[in-house]
DNA sequence: GAGATTTGACCGCA
DNA sequence: TGCGGTCAAATCTC
C-alpha cells in the first residue's frame, strides 16, 4: 500500500517535471524557429532545432508512459550484455560475400548526421598504444551509389573531450541529404558538398609542401584553435574546437584532415571552416556560435 | 520488421 | 606474426 502510494507520488512528480521540461523544450523550439534568420549559421540552427525536437519527442514518450492508462508505449527491452564469442559464434561461419551472395540493398534517408552526409558505423577497433578505440564509418550509400568515402573517429588521449576525425575517399554519392532536407541555401550546400568531394589539398591555407609522409604538420601548435571563454566566472558548458593536424593523403585516397571537436555532433563546424571559411569570416561565424550556451 | 549498431573473425600488409 | 581495416551475424532500437 505504502509502496503503491509512494510510487504514485513519484510518478506524479516525474510527470510534473517532464511536463515542465516539455514546455521548456517547446519554448526553445519556438525561439529557434523565430531565430532562423539568414544571418544565423544554418548548421547551428539545424543542430539545435533537431535537439529541441528530440527533447520534445522524449518528453512526449515519457509522458505517455507515465500516464499509464494502457495507451502508452511499452518500455523497451533492456539492453543485454554482449554475448561471448562462444555463445554467438560456436563455429566458423563462411562470409556471405565470399559465397557470392548479393549484398542487401537499402534505402536510408532518415538518419541525419552532423556533416551533411550519412555515415554508417561498420567497425570499431582497439588501437595499440591508444587508450581509446577507433571507430570506422562508411558512407551509407556505399553499395547503393558505390560511394567509397569513409571516416575514422578516435577520442583524443590528450583531451578525451576531443575527437580526432579523419576523412578518406571522395563522396561520389552526391548525397548531402541532411543539408538538402533542412533547407540549406544553395551556396552553403554547394560549398559543403563540393569541398567534401574535392581532393584538392591546395584548398588548405598552408602550402601542400608541408604535408609529410602521412605525418603531422610541422606546426607545433594547432593550426587553428578555439576554446570558448568563460564569462564572468560563472560555470557554463562550452564547446571547444580545434584543428590539430593535417596528414598527407594515403596513396589513392583523397586528402584527409585530422580535426578535433569537443562533440562528434559538431564535426561539421571545424571541417566547414577548415575547407572553406578560413579567415576572418570564419571567426565571425564562430563568434556567433560562442553566444550559444549549452547549459 | 527494417535498419543501425555491436563485436569477434577474417584478411592484407609490413 | 602482429596490427589495423573490414566483414557480417547477432543484437538492439524504433
Amino acid at each position: 500500500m505504502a509502496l503503491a502510494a509512494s510510487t504514485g507520488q513519484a510518478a506524479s512528480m516525474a510527470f510534473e517535471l517532464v511536463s515542465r521540461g516539455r514546455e521548456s523544450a517547446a519554448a526553445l523550439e519556438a525561439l529557434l524557429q523565430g531565430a532562423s534568420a539568414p544571418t544565423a549559421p544554418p548548421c547551428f540552427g539545424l543542430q539545435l532545432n533537431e535537439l529541441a525536437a528530440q527533447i520534445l519527442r522524449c518528453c512526449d514518450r515519457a509522458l505517455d508512459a507515465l500516464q499509464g492508462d494502457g495507451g502508452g508505449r511499452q518500455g523497451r527491452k533492456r539492453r543485454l550484455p554482449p554475448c561471448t564469442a562462444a555463445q554467438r559464434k560456436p563455429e566458423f561461419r563462411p562470409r556471405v560475400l565470399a559465397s557470392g551472395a548479393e549484398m542487401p540493398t537499402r534505402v536510408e534517408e532518415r538518419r541525419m548526421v552532423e556533416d551533411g552526409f550519412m555515415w554508417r558505423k561498420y567497425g570499431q577497433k582497439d588501437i595499440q598504444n591508444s587508450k581509446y578505440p577507433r571507430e570506422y564509418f562508411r558512407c551509407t550509400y556505399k553499395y547503393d551509389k558505390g560511394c567509397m568515402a569513409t571516416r575514422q573517429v578516435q577520442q583524443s588521449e590528450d583531451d578525451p573531450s576531443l575527437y580526432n576525425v579523419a576523412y578518406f575517399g571522395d563522396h561520389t554519392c552526391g548525397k548531402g541529404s541532411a543539408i538538402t532536407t533542412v533547407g540549406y541555401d544553395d551556396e552553403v550546400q554547394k560549398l559543403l558538398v563540393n569541398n567534401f568531394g574535392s581532393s584538392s589539398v591546395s584548398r588548405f591555407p598552408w602550402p601542400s609542401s608541408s604535408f609529410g609522409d602521412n605525418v603531422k604538420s610541422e606546426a607545433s601548435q594547432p593550426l587553428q584553435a578555439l576554446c570558448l571563454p568563460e564569462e564572468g566566472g560563472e560555470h557554463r558548458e562550452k564547446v571547444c574546437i580545434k584543428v590539430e593536424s593535417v596528414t598527407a593523403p594515403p596513396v589513392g585516397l583523397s586528402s584527409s584532415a585530422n580535426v578535433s571537436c569537443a562533440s562528434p555532433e559538431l564535426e561539421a563546424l571545424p571541417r566547414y571552416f577548415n575547407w572553406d571559411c578560413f579567415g576572418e569570416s570564419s571567426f565571425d561565424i564562430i563568434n556567433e556560435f560562442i553566444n550559444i550556451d549549452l547549459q
Side-chain angles (χ1 to χ4, degrees), chain A residues 31-42 45 49 185 288:
Chain A
L31 279 172
L32 287 168
Q33 283 170 350
S36 59
T39 53
N49 274 320
D185 66 57
E288 287 189 55

Side-chain angles (χ1 to χ4, degrees):
Chain A
M1 279 296 192
L3 177 64
S6 66
T7 302
Q9 205 170 8
S12 171
M13 186 178 297
F15 183 84
E16 187 181 338
L17 287 170
V18 175
S19 296
R20 204 178 304 167
R22 193 196 185 286
E23 285 170 16
S24 300
L28 172 62
E29 187 181 44
L31 279 172
L32 287 168
Q33 283 170 350
S36 59
T39 53
C43 49
F44 305 146
L46 157 66
Q47 308 249 355
L48 291 170
N49 274 320
E50 189 187 8
L51 178 62
Q54 190 173 338
I55 293 170
L56 287 171
R57 283 196 300 271
C58 289
C59 289
D60 286 340
R61 285 171 51 191
L63 288 169
D64 284 346
L66 282 169
Q67 278 169 339
D69 57 357
R73 185 174 177 162
Q74 294 279 339
R76 299 214 161 274
K77 279 187 290 186
R78 185 176 61 88
R79 186 188 184 92
L80 299 171
C83 300
T84 64
Q87 287 171 318
R88 280 176 45 185
K89 300 178 182 179
E91 56 189 26
F92 170 74
R93 294 164 317 180
R95 292 183 172 207
V96 176
L97 278 179
S99 69
E102 288 182 18
M103 289 297 300
T105 58
R106 289 175 182 153
V107 179
E108 304 159 338
E109 288 285 354
R110 54 198 149 50
R111 188 167 141 72
M112 183 178 295
V113 294
E114 62 278 5
D115 58 8
F117 290 95
M118 294 170 67
W119 299 100
R120 178 170 171 179
K121 185 177 179 178
Y122 65 84
Q124 177 173 317
K125 191 81 175 177
D126 287 326
I127 301 301
Q128 206 178 23
N129 300 325
S130 184
K131 221 188 303 182
Y132 304 102
R134 182 176 298 165
E135 293 176 295
Y136 300 89
F137 297 85
R138 63 167 171 78
C139 179
T140 297
Y141 301 98
K142 178 180 179 179
Y143 299 113
D144 291 351
K145 309 280 185 182
C147 181
M148 298 306 291
T150 63
R151 75 171 185 177
Q152 299 174 5
V153 178
Q154 189 169 12
Q155 205 166 349
S156 169
E157 289 192 52
D158 295 338
D159 185 347
S161 65
L162 301 179
Y163 292 81
N164 295 318
V165 184
Y167 292 84
F168 300 99
D170 289 349
H171 268 283
T172 56
C173 59
K175 290 278 183 181
S177 56
I179 298 168
T180 303
T181 54
V182 300
Y184 272 77
D185 66 57
D186 289 345
E187 285 305 311
V188 173
Q189 178 178 341
K190 201 172 157 185
L191 277 172
L192 284 165
V193 174
N194 284 350
N195 288 302
F196 187 71
S198 168
S199 60
S200 172
V201 174
S202 64
R203 294 192 73 88
F204 287 99
W206 42 86
S208 57
S209 60
S210 68
F211 292 98
D213 185 12
N214 230 10
V215 297
K216 283 196 171 189
S217 159
E218 294 174 1
S220 58
Q221 299 292 324
L223 293 164
Q224 282 279 14
L226 170 70
C227 278
L228 308 185
E230 294 291 322
E231 285 182 13
E234 69 180 274
H235 173 74
R236 288 182 167 185
E237 192 173 349
K238 298 291 186 183
V239 176
C240 179
I241 298 148
K242 69 177 179 181
V243 176
E244 277 190 337
S245 65
V246 174
T247 57
V251 176
L253 296 173
S254 73
S255 58
S256 67
N258 286 343
V259 176
S260 290
C261 183
S263 163
E265 285 75 27
L266 292 165
E267 284 159 15
L269 183 61
R271 237 169 38 74
Y272 181 71
F273 296 141
N274 218 2
W275 288 70
D276 300 306
C277 295
F278 253 85
E280 287 186 12
S281 60
S282 302
F283 288 96
D284 288 343
I285 298 173
I286 291 173
N287 284 332
E288 287 189 55
F289 181 52
I290 288 174
N291 294 326
I292 300 170
D293 290 328
L294 305 175
Q295 333 197 42

